[in-house]
Amino acid sequence: TYQRLSEDLKLSEHSTTRLDTSKTKFTFTLDGKVVTVDASLVKVDEKKEEDGSYTYTYTFNKDGFKENGVWSISVATVDVHASSSNASVQFQFVLDNIVPELKIEGVTNNGKYNTAKHQFKVLVKDNIGLARVRVLVNGKVYEFTKEELLKGEKLIELEHSDKPYSIEVEVVDLAG
């Protein structure tokens, strides 16, 4: 998962026979739907190896991938003898530059609660997924479990205290 592509994507494939690069077909999908990427953003390099085989490097300009979501690239090739392969190279990645949403329910800034225990809920939402959520209450760490990360919420109970509580939340989504 990337917030954005910082450099061009490169995929390689090895072929025992020479490919007809004019017939190479690239398919791009975003969240499962086929999308068009400008052909000028794709470069194909062919290198003949010492053993007579070929290495093909496909370079995809990072400017072709701006939208958030799950991207998939597949490359289908045909060799010079017209033998085809179905999606000889496939690659998938996620772009996500949307910041997670955070909400805390059950506590207010400078609020006072005259109970032996007080519960509050930390709610976190992200468009792709959460990697880690930590809640610090006066320095004590409450880490979200895998199930809480999937659900996007954690219930925390505070003991009665005459001193104020300091609550901090650290959220890291799958894009970092």
Side-chain angles (χ1 to χ4, degrees):
T1 301
Y2 308 95
Q3 290 179 344
R4 61 181 164 66
L5 290 180
S6 54
E7 55 189 44
D8 296 344
L9 278 176
K10 286 186 187 238
L11 303 178
S12 297
E13 91 170 289
H14 192 81
S15 177
T16 53
T17 58
R18 187 168 186 207
L19 301 180
D20 181 347
T21 55
S22 70
K23 293 185 178 150
T24 300
K25 186 176 185 310
F26 300 96
T27 305
F28 303 91
T29 64
L30 176 58
D31 295 329
K33 294 185 188 88
V34 175
V35 292
T36 304
V37 172
D38 186 345
S40 69
L41 299 176
V42 181
K43 197 172 109 199
V44 179
D45 289 314
E46 175 185 274
K47 181 183 172 209
K48 187 169 184 175
E49 303 294 343
E50 288 178 18
D51 65 1
S53 65
Y54 295 84
T55 299
Y56 293 87
T57 303
Y58 309 109
T59 305
F60 304 93
N61 188 305
K62 65 180 189 260
D63 295 336
F65 310 97
K66 298 257 189 239
E67 289 185 56
N68 286 311
V70 179
W71 282 90
S72 176
I73 302 171
S74 65
V75 183
T77 56
V78 177
D79 74 9
V80 290
H81 308 296
S83 301
S84 64
S85 76
N86 291 333
S88 51
V89 180
Q90 285 195 303
F91 183 71
Q92 190 169 347
F93 62 98
V94 176
L95 285 184
D96 174 19
N97 59 19
I98 297 171
V99 177
E101 291 176 43
L102 169 67
K103 195 161 80 173
I104 298 176
E105 290 180 351
V107 287
T108 56
N109 202 20
N110 298 319
K112 291 189 183 348
Y113 308 97
N114 293 322
T115 55
K117 293 179 182 199
H118 183 78
Q119 289 187 333
F120 71 97
K121 193 184 281 189
V122 178
L123 300 158
V124 188
K125 258 185 15 189
D126 188 66
N127 61 318
I128 301 292
L130 299 165
R132 185 178 73 241
V133 180
R134 292 186 349 182
V135 183
L136 286 84
V137 180
N138 289 357
K140 183 178 178 190
V141 176
Y142 297 85
E143 192 93 30
F144 270 49
T145 64
K146 275 192 165 71
E147 291 78 26
E148 290 167 335
L149 284 173
L150 288 170
K151 196 174 175 188
E153 65 181 61
K154 182 175 192 70
L155 195 62
I156 297 175
E157 194 167 81
L158 301 176
E159 298 293 326
H160 177 73
S161 171
D162 293 331
K163 295 181 185 156
Y165 280 102
S166 163
I167 300 170
E168 292 177 52
V169 181
E170 180 184 291
V171 180
V172 178
D173 69 4
L174 292 173

